[in-house]
Amino acid sequence: MNEFNEYVRETFSAAGDVAIRAMMGGYLVYFNGKLIGDICGNELFLKRTPTSDRLLADSELRYPYEESKTLMHVFDNFENADLIAELLEGMHSELPEKKAKKPKKAK
């Protein structure tokens, strides 16, 4: 894991459980078990929810990789622990629960 990923993990983990997993040349960012965004290069992109739209209104909407959904490009706000906690907790409550995997059919 690179230095930027570790910085994001360390900063966000003050608000809850953070996991960063390698995927498709980038990294997926999970907060308390829910996917909240991506890290591509040394750039953080978060999903759009009512909370992220409100708290990160100045963030640019971008595509982190080809064929992705538009995500919020987050370039600062890492020093404000209260903002991070409010953002992550709000996003977590607004994002859907993970879908249960369907059992494989017996052959």
Side-chain angles (χ1 to χ4, degrees):
M1 191 176 314
N2 70 30
E3 202 171 299
F4 182 76
N5 293 14
E6 187 57 32
Y7 174 67
V8 170
R9 191 197 62 72
E10 199 173 286
T11 303
F12 283 10
S13 64
D17 181 44
V18 176
I20 298 177
R21 298 190 182 116
M23 179 71 106
M24 303 176 296
Y27 297 88
L28 300 178
V29 182
Y30 293 85
F31 178 71
N32 290 338
K34 290 185 181 180
L35 178 63
I36 62 166
D38 300 347
I39 295 176
C40 296
N42 284 335
E43 297 179 296
L44 175 64
F45 297 88
L46 295 177
K47 289 186 170 194
R48 294 188 67 195
T49 70
T51 297
S52 63
D53 281 348
R54 179 174 51 84
L55 294 176
L56 302 174
D58 294 337
S59 295
E60 181 182 349
L61 298 178
R62 292 181 33 195
Y63 297 95
Y65 53 90
E66 239 180 85
E67 298 181 25
S68 75
K69 292 182 179 180
T70 306
L71 299 176
M72 302 183 88
H73 180 236
V74 181
F75 52 89
D76 59 10
N77 295 322
F78 289 116
E79 303 305 317
N80 186 334
D82 292 334
L83 174 71
I84 289 170
E86 183 180 352
L87 172 67
L88 297 179
E89 289 165 10
M91 288 180 69
H92 187 270
S93 69
E94 294 161 350
L95 289 168
E97 291 297 325
K98 199 174 180 181
K99 293 180 183 176
K101 291 183 181 180
K102 293 182 181 177
K104 292 183 180 180
K105 292 182 181 180
K107 291 183 181 181

XYZ file of all heavy atoms in Angstrom:
856
model
N 0.858 -1.179 0.000
C 0.000 0.000 0.000
C 0.899 1.236 0.000
O 1.896 1.279 0.701
C -0.898 -0.019 1.237
C -1.981 1.021 1.164
S -3.196 1.031 2.501
C -3.643 -0.635 2.723
N 0.523 2.227 -0.799
C 1.369 3.415 -0.880
C 1.095 4.405 0.265
O 0.172 4.220 1.058
C 1.230 4.078 -2.259
C -0.114 4.738 -2.483
O -0.760 5.205 -1.560
N -0.533 4.794 -3.724
N 1.889 5.435 0.310
C 1.821 6.423 1.386
C 0.475 7.154 1.420
O -0.086 7.386 2.495
C 2.958 7.437 1.172
C 3.360 8.175 2.410
C 4.619 9.001 2.174
O 5.672 8.420 1.847
O 4.517 10.235 2.301
N -0.063 7.515 0.249
C -1.352 8.217 0.197
C -2.471 7.322 0.737
O -3.306 7.763 1.517
C -1.667 8.682 -1.226
C -2.965 9.444 -1.318
C -3.043 10.756 -0.871
C -4.100 8.852 -1.837
C -4.239 11.460 -0.933
C -5.295 9.550 -1.913
C -5.369 10.858 -1.457
N -2.491 6.059 0.322
C -3.515 5.131 0.802
C -3.460 5.008 2.320
O -4.491 4.997 2.986
C -3.321 3.745 0.188
C -3.575 3.710 -1.288
O -3.663 4.743 -1.945
N -3.670 2.525 -1.836
N -2.267 4.894 2.855
C -2.097 4.781 4.300
C -2.573 6.053 5.005
O -3.196 5.989 6.065
C -0.631 4.484 4.643
C -0.383 4.198 6.095
C -1.203 3.040 6.647
O -1.506 2.084 5.905
O -1.552 3.096 7.843
N -2.308 7.202 4.405
C -2.761 8.482 4.963
C -4.291 8.530 5.016
O -4.879 8.908 6.028
C -2.197 9.633 4.125
C -2.699 10.987 4.519
C -2.361 11.558 5.746
C -3.521 11.718 3.671
C -2.823 12.810 6.117
C -3.980 12.963 4.026
C -3.641 13.507 5.248
O -4.104 14.746 5.599
N -4.947 8.139 3.929
C -6.418 8.118 3.894
C -6.943 7.145 4.943
O -7.841 7.466 5.711
C -6.939 7.750 2.482
C -8.444 7.496 2.497
C -6.593 8.842 1.474
N -6.386 5.935 4.987
C -6.831 4.938 5.956
C -6.684 5.441 7.387
O -7.594 5.341 8.208
C -6.064 3.619 5.783
C -6.677 2.466 6.601
C -5.726 1.309 6.760
N -4.517 1.666 7.474
C -4.438 1.927 8.779
N -5.512 1.907 9.523
N -3.298 2.239 9.335
N -5.537 6.003 7.676
C -5.263 6.501 9.028
C -6.206 7.648 9.394
O -6.754 7.689 10.494
C -3.808 6.983 9.083
C -3.253 7.100 10.462
C -1.770 7.405 10.394
O -0.984 6.488 10.070
O -1.412 8.573 10.651
N -6.408 8.573 8.479
C -7.270 9.733 8.734
C -8.722 9.317 8.917
O -9.392 9.765 9.848
C -7.154 10.744 7.572
O -5.781 11.108 7.420
C -7.967 11.987 7.845
N -9.226 8.459 8.049
C -10.622 8.039 8.108
C -10.892 7.082 9.266
O -12.004 7.003 9.763
C -11.035 7.370 6.799
C -11.294 8.325 5.658
C -10.965 9.670 5.730
C -11.872 7.863 4.498
C -11.197 10.536 4.669
C -12.125 8.710 3.427
C -11.788 10.049 3.519
N -9.890 6.316 9.701
C -10.122 5.308 10.732
C -10.457 5.916 12.090
O -10.972 5.215 12.961
C -8.945 4.339 10.840
O -7.788 5.002 11.254
N -10.244 7.211 12.269
C -10.662 7.862 13.506
C -12.189 7.848 13.626
O -12.733 7.917 14.721
C -10.145 9.300 13.547
N -12.893 7.710 12.485
C -14.359 7.713 12.478
C -14.954 6.305 12.477
O -16.141 6.140 12.728
C -14.872 8.486 11.261
N -14.152 5.287 12.174
C -14.681 3.925 12.122
C -13.702 2.992 11.436
O -12.542 3.328 11.225
N -14.188 1.826 11.057
C -13.358 0.803 10.432
C -13.159 1.120 8.951
O -14.126 1.224 8.198
C -14.026 -0.567 10.597
C -13.201 -1.677 9.993
O -11.974 -1.691 10.204
O -13.781 -2.531 9.299
N -11.910 1.251 8.533
C -11.589 1.580 7.140
C -10.731 0.471 6.556
O -9.757 0.036 7.160
C -10.835 2.925 7.039
C -10.411 3.208 5.610
C -11.708 4.049 7.570
N -11.112 0.015 5.373
C -10.332 -0.982 4.645
C -10.087 -0.456 3.237
O -10.980 0.145 2.631
C -11.078 -2.306 4.588
N -8.878 -0.653 2.751
C -8.525 -0.251 1.391
C -8.026 -1.499 0.685
O -7.078 -2.131 1.133
C -7.471 0.870 1.393
C -8.048 2.101 2.094
C -7.024 1.196 -0.026
C -7.082 3.262 2.240
N -8.717 -1.861 -0.412
C -8.403 -3.094 -1.129
C -8.040 -2.800 -2.575
O -8.715 -2.024 -3.247
C -9.613 -4.029 -1.090
C -9.967 -4.424 0.325
C -11.005 -5.522 0.360
N -11.319 -5.820 1.742
C -12.499 -5.631 2.295
N -13.492 -5.158 1.599
N -12.696 -5.936 3.551
N -6.994 -3.463 -3.044
C -6.560 -3.313 -4.434
C -7.624 -3.870 -5.369
O -8.200 -4.920 -5.113
C -5.239 -4.038 -4.659
N -7.888 -3.123 -6.471
C -8.867 -3.576 -7.449
C -8.654 -2.832 -8.762
O -8.598 -1.608 -8.776
C -10.282 -3.306 -6.927
C -11.378 -3.702 -7.864
S -11.522 -5.474 -7.999
C -12.989 -5.725 -7.078
N -8.484 -3.554 -9.845
C -8.406 -2.995 -11.199
C -7.378 -1.876 -11.342
O -7.659 -0.837 -11.932
C -9.782 -2.467 -11.636
C -10.878 -3.491 -11.596
S -12.498 -2.814 -12.018
C -12.780 -1.658 -10.699
N -6.225 -2.012 -10.777
C -5.189 -0.999 -10.907
C -5.337 0.170 -9.953
O -4.497 1.051 -9.907
N -6.408 0.189 -9.182
C -6.627 1.231 -8.181
C -6.952 0.562 -6.858
O -6.587 -0.591 -6.622
N -7.648 1.289 -6.015
C -8.010 0.768 -4.702
C -9.438 1.159 -4.375
O -9.872 2.259 -4.706
C -7.075 1.331 -3.620
C -5.646 0.926 -3.813
C -4.792 1.676 -4.604
C -5.154 -0.239 -3.218
C -3.476 1.294 -4.803
C -3.835 -0.620 -3.411
C -3.006 0.145 -4.204
O -1.710 -0.246 -4.394
N -10.160 0.264 -3.728
C -11.505 0.541 -3.253
C -11.419 0.887 -1.774
O -10.679 0.256 -1.030
C -12.410 -0.670 -3.468
C -12.575 -1.138 -4.909
C -13.462 -2.382 -4.970
C -13.137 -0.036 -5.785
N -12.203 1.886 -1.353
C -12.198 2.341 0.035
C -13.527 1.954 0.674
O -14.596 2.315 0.177
C -12.002 3.872 0.119
C -11.961 4.325 1.577
C -10.745 4.300 -0.619
N -13.450 1.200 1.771
C -14.628 0.754 2.500
C -14.640 1.415 3.873
O -13.607 1.521 4.534
C -14.603 -0.762 2.695
C -14.753 -1.538 1.418
C -13.651 -1.810 0.624
C -16.001 -1.995 1.007
C -13.784 -2.530 -0.556
C -16.145 -2.704 -0.173
C -15.032 -2.969 -0.951
O -15.164 -3.664 -2.121
N -15.834 1.826 4.315
C -16.019 2.372 5.657
C -17.090 1.543 6.348
O -18.216 1.455 5.859
C -16.423 3.845 5.603
C -16.672 4.448 6.951
C -15.612 4.696 7.807
C -17.950 4.734 7.377
C -15.828 5.230 9.069
C -18.185 5.268 8.628
C -17.122 5.520 9.480
N -16.737 0.929 7.457
C -17.644 0.055 8.208
C -18.349 -0.940 7.282
O -19.547 -1.174 7.390
C -18.656 0.871 9.015
C -18.003 1.604 10.165
O -16.922 1.238 10.622
N -18.632 2.665 10.628
N -17.578 -1.505 6.347
C -18.076 -2.555 5.474
C -18.752 -2.102 4.189
O -19.088 -2.923 3.355
N -18.976 -0.803 4.013
C -19.632 -0.312 2.805
C -18.625 0.401 1.905
O -17.792 1.179 2.387
C -20.760 0.659 3.136
C -21.959 0.003 3.768
C -23.081 0.994 3.946
C -24.290 0.371 4.600
N -25.376 1.360 4.776
N -18.746 0.163 0.602
C -17.886 0.829 -0.371
C -18.262 2.300 -0.434
O -19.406 2.646 -0.727
C -18.055 0.181 -1.752
C -17.260 0.789 -2.899
C -15.764 0.657 -2.656
C -17.646 0.135 -4.208
N -17.296 3.178 -0.140
C -17.577 4.613 -0.166
C -16.840 5.346 -1.279
O -17.182 6.476 -1.599
C -17.260 5.296 1.186
C -15.774 5.174 1.528
C -18.153 4.749 2.283
C -15.323 6.086 2.643
N -15.804 4.718 -1.862
C -15.080 5.417 -2.913
C -13.888 4.650 -3.436
O -13.707 3.465 -3.150
N -13.100 5.355 -4.229
C -11.928 4.788 -4.900
C -10.718 5.679 -4.670
O -10.849 6.888 -4.503
C -12.120 4.741 -6.421
C -13.284 3.905 -6.874
O -13.824 3.140 -6.067
O -13.653 4.017 -8.052
N -9.543 5.051 -4.738
C -8.290 5.796 -4.815
C -7.650 5.388 -6.134
O -7.435 4.203 -6.387
C -7.344 5.480 -3.646
C -7.957 5.949 -2.325
C -5.979 6.152 -3.875
C -7.143 5.589 -1.098
N -7.403 6.361 -6.974
C -6.741 6.145 -8.262
C -5.520 7.047 -8.287
O -5.651 8.268 -8.179
C -7.669 6.468 -9.419
S -9.092 5.388 -9.484
N -4.334 6.451 -8.417
C -3.114 7.242 -8.273
C -3.066 7.723 -6.838
O -3.313 6.971 -5.906
N -2.819 8.981 -6.665
C -2.860 9.582 -5.327
C -4.038 10.536 -5.228
O -3.920 11.630 -4.680
C -1.551 10.314 -5.014
C -0.441 9.344 -4.688
O -0.692 8.224 -4.257
N 0.784 9.754 -4.900
N -5.189 10.092 -5.753
C -6.392 10.910 -5.720
C -7.531 10.107 -5.118
O -7.702 8.932 -5.424
C -6.774 11.357 -7.130
C -5.725 12.240 -7.779
C -6.125 12.657 -9.181
O -6.242 11.759 -10.045
O -6.334 13.851 -9.388
N -8.317 10.776 -4.267
C -9.451 10.151 -3.600
C -10.740 10.588 -4.277
O -10.946 11.782 -4.526
C -9.473 10.550 -2.122
C -10.673 10.079 -1.307
C -10.719 8.556 -1.224
C -10.627 10.691 0.085
N -11.597 9.616 -4.551
C -12.905 9.866 -5.144
C -13.947 9.211 -4.247
O -13.818 8.031 -3.915
C -12.991 9.254 -6.547
C -12.018 9.840 -7.521
C -10.746 9.314 -7.639
C -12.378 10.917 -8.314
C -9.837 9.844 -8.535
C -11.474 11.457 -9.212
C -10.206 10.931 -9.332
N -14.974 9.976 -3.843
C -16.019 9.436 -2.984
C -17.345 9.391 -3.727
O -17.612 10.231 -4.604
C -16.172 10.289 -1.721
C -14.981 10.297 -0.771
C -15.247 11.232 0.397
C -14.664 8.896 -0.280
N -18.190 8.427 -3.341
C -19.519 8.316 -3.929
C -20.348 9.536 -3.559
O -20.140 10.156 -2.515
C -20.216 7.055 -3.411
C -19.640 5.784 -3.955
C -20.480 4.610 -3.508
C -20.064 3.361 -4.231
N -21.061 2.298 -4.075
N -21.312 9.817 -4.417
C -22.229 10.927 -4.157
C -23.407 10.432 -3.320
O -24.055 9.463 -3.666
C -22.727 11.515 -5.464
C -21.609 12.183 -6.250
C -22.144 12.910 -7.428
N -22.937 14.044 -6.955
C -23.781 14.712 -7.716
N -23.969 14.383 -8.961
N -24.468 15.724 -7.220
N -23.630 11.097 -2.214
C -24.799 10.874 -1.370
C -25.282 12.262 -0.961
O -24.565 13.252 -1.171
C -24.455 10.069 -0.093
O -23.665 10.884 0.773
C -23.745 8.754 -0.405
N -26.460 12.384 -0.370
C -26.878 13.720 0.095
C -25.853 14.365 1.038
O -25.584 15.552 0.942
C -28.215 13.439 0.797
C -28.764 12.247 0.053
C -27.537 11.401 -0.245
N -25.253 13.561 1.914
C -24.262 14.109 2.848
C -23.002 14.567 2.122
O -22.502 15.666 2.374
C -23.895 13.082 3.939
O -25.066 12.798 4.709
C -22.805 13.601 4.859
N -22.466 13.742 1.225
C -21.239 14.154 0.517
C -21.516 15.344 -0.397
O -20.686 16.240 -0.520
C -20.617 12.984 -0.256
O -21.464 12.500 -1.263
N -22.699 15.388 -1.028
C -23.050 16.546 -1.861
C -23.080 17.830 -1.027
O -22.638 18.880 -1.474
C -24.406 16.345 -2.538
C -24.341 15.452 -3.766
O -23.236 15.153 -4.256
O -25.422 15.041 -4.246
N -23.596 17.728 0.194
C -23.710 18.911 1.061
C -22.352 19.333 1.628
O -21.979 20.504 1.570
C -24.690 18.603 2.206
C -24.890 19.744 3.195
C -25.976 19.417 4.215
N -25.823 18.134 4.879
C -25.052 17.922 5.945
N -24.349 18.901 6.455
N -24.983 16.724 6.490
N -21.594 18.369 2.162
C -20.341 18.707 2.836
C -19.176 18.943 1.881
O -18.210 19.617 2.240
C -19.966 17.606 3.829
C -20.924 17.437 5.011
C -20.505 16.259 5.866
C -20.999 18.711 5.832
N -19.256 18.390 0.690
C -18.169 18.536 -0.289
C -18.673 19.242 -1.543
O -18.287 18.904 -2.654
C -17.597 17.155 -0.648
C -17.062 16.324 0.510
C -16.668 14.936 0.042
C -15.892 17.022 1.184
N -19.522 20.230 -1.346
C -20.163 20.930 -2.467
C -19.157 21.529 -3.447
O -19.458 21.674 -4.633
C -21.096 22.017 -1.934
N -17.959 21.857 -2.991
C -16.946 22.460 -3.868
C -16.122 21.424 -4.632
O -15.286 21.787 -5.446
C -15.990 23.344 -3.053
C -16.700 24.553 -2.455
O -17.755 24.947 -2.983
O -16.207 25.092 -1.450
N -16.355 20.153 -4.363
C -15.573 19.106 -5.027
C -15.997 18.961 -6.489
O -17.172 19.049 -6.823
C -15.761 17.757 -4.328
O -15.230 17.814 -3.039
N -15.013 18.694 -7.313
C -15.248 18.488 -8.741
C -15.760 17.069 -8.966
O -15.301 16.120 -8.351
C -13.918 18.686 -9.479
C -14.000 18.533 -10.959
C -12.634 18.693 -11.621
O -11.666 19.117 -10.958
O -12.547 18.363 -12.806
N -16.733 16.926 -9.858
C -17.225 15.600 -10.226
C -16.376 15.097 -11.380
O -16.215 15.779 -12.389
C -18.694 15.661 -10.637
C -19.653 16.134 -9.546
C -21.076 16.196 -10.083
C -19.579 15.229 -8.330
N -15.819 13.897 -11.219
C -14.926 13.343 -12.243
C -15.121 11.848 -12.363
O -15.726 11.222 -11.510
C -13.464 13.634 -11.875
C -13.145 15.110 -11.953
C -11.740 15.494 -11.644
N -10.696 14.571 -12.012
C -9.464 14.645 -11.548
N -9.127 15.600 -10.710
N -8.554 13.778 -11.912
N -14.567 11.295 -13.428
C -14.544 9.852 -13.641
C -13.149 9.366 -13.248
O -12.179 9.719 -13.912
C -14.807 9.510 -15.109
C -16.165 9.943 -15.589
C -16.330 11.163 -16.236
C -17.283 9.139 -15.387
C -17.588 11.568 -16.677
C -18.539 9.534 -15.829
C -18.683 10.755 -16.467
O -19.920 11.148 -16.897
N -13.036 8.566 -12.183
C -11.701 8.116 -11.765
C -11.044 7.166 -12.767
O -9.836 7.082 -12.835
C -11.938 7.428 -10.432
C -13.394 7.215 -10.326
C -14.080 8.148 -11.278
N -11.842 6.457 -13.542
C -11.313 5.542 -14.561
C -12.382 5.371 -15.633
O -13.549 5.716 -15.421
C -10.903 4.188 -13.962
C -11.992 3.534 -13.141
C -12.918 2.676 -13.722
C -12.111 3.785 -11.778
C -13.927 2.102 -12.983
C -13.111 3.206 -11.023
C -14.014 2.367 -11.634
O -15.013 1.807 -10.898
N -11.986 4.842 -16.769
C -12.905 4.654 -17.883
C -14.100 3.804 -17.481
O -13.953 2.816 -16.770
C -12.159 3.957 -19.035
C -12.158 4.766 -20.305
C -11.415 4.048 -21.407
O -12.032 3.218 -22.083
O -10.210 4.343 -21.546
N -15.264 4.190 -17.936
C -16.529 3.491 -17.699
C -16.973 3.492 -16.233
O -17.810 2.680 -15.839
C -16.462 2.058 -18.242
C -16.230 2.009 -19.742
C -16.187 0.590 -20.281
O -16.767 -0.313 -19.663
O -15.556 0.408 -21.329
N -16.436 4.385 -15.418
C -16.870 4.469 -14.024
C -18.041 5.440 -13.917
O -18.344 6.181 -14.849
C -15.733 4.952 -13.135
O -15.520 6.343 -13.316
N -18.655 5.441 -12.763
C -19.670 6.442 -12.457
C -18.948 7.725 -12.068
O -17.783 7.700 -11.667
C -20.536 5.984 -11.286
C -21.414 4.801 -11.626
C -22.279 4.442 -10.445
C -23.171 3.274 -10.790
N -24.037 2.891 -9.681
N -19.649 8.841 -12.162
C -19.086 10.114 -11.728
C -18.965 10.095 -10.204
O -19.919 9.770 -9.506
C -19.990 11.287 -12.136
O -20.236 11.220 -13.533
C -19.364 12.616 -11.794
N -17.772 10.413 -9.723
C -17.531 10.461 -8.286
C -17.005 11.841 -7.908
O -16.593 12.622 -8.760
C -16.516 9.386 -7.879
C -16.906 7.932 -8.159
C -15.759 7.012 -7.797
C -18.154 7.543 -7.402
N -17.010 12.133 -6.616
C -16.522 13.425 -6.121
C -15.010 13.338 -5.902
O -14.546 12.502 -5.133
C -17.228 13.788 -4.824
C -18.737 13.853 -4.978
S -19.555 14.358 -3.473
C -19.514 16.120 -3.710
N -14.277 14.197 -6.581
C -12.823 14.249 -6.430
C -12.524 15.057 -5.174
O -12.815 16.247 -5.101
C -12.199 14.911 -7.662
C -10.722 15.010 -7.588
N -10.059 16.199 -7.712
C -9.778 14.064 -7.398
C -8.760 15.984 -7.615
N -8.571 14.693 -7.421
N -11.962 14.405 -4.172
C -11.693 15.053 -2.884
C -10.213 15.389 -2.822
O -9.364 14.505 -2.910
C -12.077 14.119 -1.710
C -11.821 14.803 -0.387
C -13.523 13.699 -1.837
N -9.911 16.659 -2.689
C -8.514 17.072 -2.713
C -8.050 17.704 -1.419
O -6.880 17.959 -1.240
C -8.259 18.034 -3.885
C -9.221 19.186 -3.922
C -8.960 20.354 -3.250
C -10.401 19.084 -4.638
C -9.855 21.411 -3.275
C -11.299 20.140 -4.674
C -11.023 21.296 -3.998
N -8.947 17.961 -0.505
C -8.532 18.492 0.798
C -9.558 18.091 1.850
O -10.224 17.091 1.692
C -8.322 20.005 0.755
C -9.565 20.775 0.341
O -10.659 20.176 0.270
O -9.448 21.973 0.089
N -9.675 18.835 2.929
C -10.581 18.551 4.048
C -10.114 17.391 4.929
O -10.863 16.893 5.742
C -12.019 18.259 3.569
C -12.654 19.449 2.913
O -12.453 20.574 3.339
N -13.394 19.208 1.850
N -8.866 16.932 4.776
C -8.376 15.820 5.576
C -7.992 16.227 6.994
O -7.818 15.367 7.843
C -7.159 15.174 4.910
C -7.501 14.411 3.669
C -7.017 14.813 2.440
C -8.295 13.285 3.725
C -7.322 14.105 1.289
C -8.608 12.563 2.585
C -8.119 12.982 1.371
N -7.844 17.492 7.244
C -7.393 17.937 8.567
C -8.547 18.159 9.535
O -8.330 18.302 10.723
C -6.569 19.228 8.438
C -5.361 19.097 7.521
C -4.420 17.963 7.908
O -4.147 17.792 9.110
O -3.974 17.242 6.998
N -9.786 18.190 9.039
C -10.936 18.481 9.886
C -11.597 17.171 10.316
O -12.440 16.610 9.607
C -11.918 19.368 9.102
C -13.067 19.845 9.954
O -13.433 19.218 10.933
N -13.648 20.967 9.553
N -11.226 16.686 11.499
C -11.711 15.387 11.987
C -13.224 15.385 12.163
O -13.883 14.365 11.903
C -11.019 15.032 13.298
N -13.813 16.486 12.600
C -15.266 16.547 12.773
C -15.982 16.429 11.434
O -16.991 15.731 11.314
C -15.677 17.847 13.467
C -15.215 17.910 14.912
O -15.029 16.832 15.525
O -15.039 19.029 15.435
N -15.462 17.103 10.418
C -16.040 17.028 9.073
C -15.940 15.602 8.531
O -16.903 15.068 7.974
C -15.342 18.001 8.114
C -15.773 17.897 6.651
C -17.179 18.440 6.465
C -14.801 18.646 5.755
N -14.789 14.970 8.698
C -14.586 13.603 8.214
C -15.572 12.656 8.894
O -16.206 11.829 8.236
C -13.129 13.148 8.435
C -12.210 13.903 7.472
C -12.986 11.639 8.245
C -10.739 13.741 7.742
N -15.725 12.773 10.204
C -16.650 11.899 10.937
C -18.083 12.108 10.454
O -18.803 11.141 10.185
C -16.542 12.156 12.438
N -18.502 13.358 10.313
C -19.862 13.652 9.844
C -20.072 13.123 8.420
O -21.096 12.528 8.106
C -20.116 15.162 9.879
C -21.530 15.550 9.483
C -21.773 17.050 9.527
O -20.905 17.816 9.999
O -22.857 17.463 9.054
N -19.070 13.318 7.569
C -19.136 12.866 6.183
C -19.266 11.344 6.106
O -20.184 10.808 5.469
C -17.884 13.327 5.435
C -17.692 12.788 4.020
C -18.760 13.344 3.093
C -16.295 13.135 3.508
N -18.364 10.628 6.763
C -18.355 9.174 6.673
C -19.579 8.545 7.321
O -20.166 7.606 6.772
C -17.067 8.615 7.274
C -15.775 9.031 6.562
C -14.570 8.438 7.265
C -15.798 8.648 5.098
N -19.977 9.046 8.465
C -21.159 8.500 9.136
C -22.416 8.766 8.312
O -23.278 7.893 8.183
C -21.282 9.075 10.548
C -20.212 8.532 11.475
C -20.058 9.325 12.771
O -20.907 10.201 13.055
O -19.085 9.056 13.494
N -22.518 9.959 7.726
C -23.669 10.279 6.878
C -23.701 9.420 5.636
O -24.752 8.867 5.269
N -22.553 9.287 4.970
C -22.486 8.463 3.764
C -22.853 7.016 4.095
O -23.607 6.377 3.365
C -21.082 8.508 3.155
C -20.738 9.816 2.492
S -19.071 9.792 1.783
C -19.298 8.628 0.421
N -22.329 6.498 5.199
C -22.595 5.115 5.586
C -24.088 4.885 5.770
O -24.627 3.863 5.335
C -21.824 4.751 6.853
C -21.931 3.318 7.208
N -22.922 2.827 8.033
C -21.196 2.245 6.823
C -22.776 1.532 8.153
N -21.744 1.139 7.434
N -24.778 5.814 6.407
C -26.218 5.629 6.644
C -27.026 5.766 5.354
O -28.112 5.194 5.248
C -26.723 6.616 7.698
O -26.708 7.931 7.184
N -26.503 6.478 4.359
C -27.248 6.717 3.116
C -26.965 5.677 2.023
O -27.773 5.509 1.114
C -26.906 8.116 2.580
C -27.383 9.206 3.495
C -26.710 10.543 3.283
O -25.710 10.629 2.541
O -27.187 11.522 3.884
N -25.839 5.010 2.105
C -25.507 4.000 1.093
C -26.249 2.699 1.388
O -26.457 2.349 2.551
C -23.994 3.761 1.055
C -23.183 4.913 0.475
C -21.695 4.724 0.746
C -23.437 5.049 -1.024
N -26.642 1.976 0.334
C -27.395 0.739 0.546
C -26.547 -0.340 1.211
O -25.327 -0.330 1.108
C -27.799 0.316 -0.871
C -26.814 0.989 -1.770
C -26.384 2.253 -1.074
N -27.235 -1.248 1.866
C -26.555 -2.397 2.450
C -26.002 -3.260 1.330
O -26.538 -3.300 0.230
C -27.526 -3.218 3.306
C -27.972 -2.523 4.579
C -26.843 -2.243 5.548
O -25.900 -3.049 5.640
O -26.905 -1.205 6.223
N -24.952 -3.963 1.635
C -24.335 -4.876 0.678
C -25.328 -5.987 0.351
O -25.965 -6.540 1.250
C -23.078 -5.459 1.330
C -22.090 -6.055 0.399
C -20.861 -6.422 1.215
C -19.802 -7.042 0.380
N -18.644 -7.403 1.177
N -25.474 -6.285 -0.927
C -26.391 -7.340 -1.343
C -25.805 -8.705 -0.974
O -24.621 -8.938 -1.165
C -26.629 -7.284 -2.850
C -27.384 -6.059 -3.285
C -27.595 -6.064 -4.781
C -28.295 -4.793 -5.221
N -28.425 -4.720 -6.676
N -26.658 -9.559 -0.456
C -26.220 -10.921 -0.108
C -25.970 -11.699 -1.397
O -26.708 -11.571 -2.369
C -27.278 -11.608 0.732
N -24.921 -12.487 -1.386
C -24.611 -13.320 -2.550
C -25.626 -14.448 -2.631
O -25.986 -15.047 -1.630
C -23.198 -13.886 -2.446
C -22.125 -12.848 -2.589
C -20.758 -13.490 -2.551
C -19.682 -12.429 -2.682
N -18.341 -13.028 -2.638
N -26.066 -14.704 -3.870
C -26.990 -15.810 -4.080
C -26.208 -17.115 -4.008
O -25.103 -17.209 -4.539
C -27.664 -15.675 -5.438
C -28.589 -14.496 -5.542
C -29.255 -14.445 -6.898
C -30.156 -13.254 -7.012
N -30.773 -13.134 -8.328
N -26.787 -18.117 -3.366
C -26.077 -19.407 -3.315
C -25.961 -20.008 -4.719
O -26.865 -19.844 -5.539
C -26.953 -20.270 -2.411
C -28.250 -19.558 -2.280
C -28.036 -18.130 -2.675
N -24.866 -20.677 -4.954
C -24.658 -21.309 -6.259
C -25.581 -22.516 -6.373
O -25.796 -23.230 -5.404
C -23.199 -21.731 -6.417
C -22.258 -20.571 -6.519
C -20.846 -21.048 -6.737
C -19.915 -19.848 -6.832
N -18.537 -20.261 -7.054
N -26.101 -22.698 -7.576
C -26.988 -23.832 -7.821
C -26.160 -25.113 -7.920
O -25.084 -25.109 -8.504
C -27.779 -23.618 -9.117
C -28.775 -22.506 -9.024
C -29.549 -22.384 -10.316
C -30.542 -21.250 -10.239
N -31.299 -21.104 -11.477
N -26.692 -26.171 -7.367
C -26.010 -27.460 -7.452
C -26.150 -28.008 -8.862
O -27.177 -27.834 -9.509
C -26.633 -28.447 -6.462
N -25.111 -28.635 -9.337
C -25.134 -29.197 -10.704
C -25.612 -30.616 -10.686
O -25.461 -31.374 -9.817
C -23.751 -29.123 -11.336
C -23.361 -27.706 -11.615
C -22.020 -27.669 -12.315
C -21.607 -26.236 -12.575
N -20.368 -26.141 -13.259
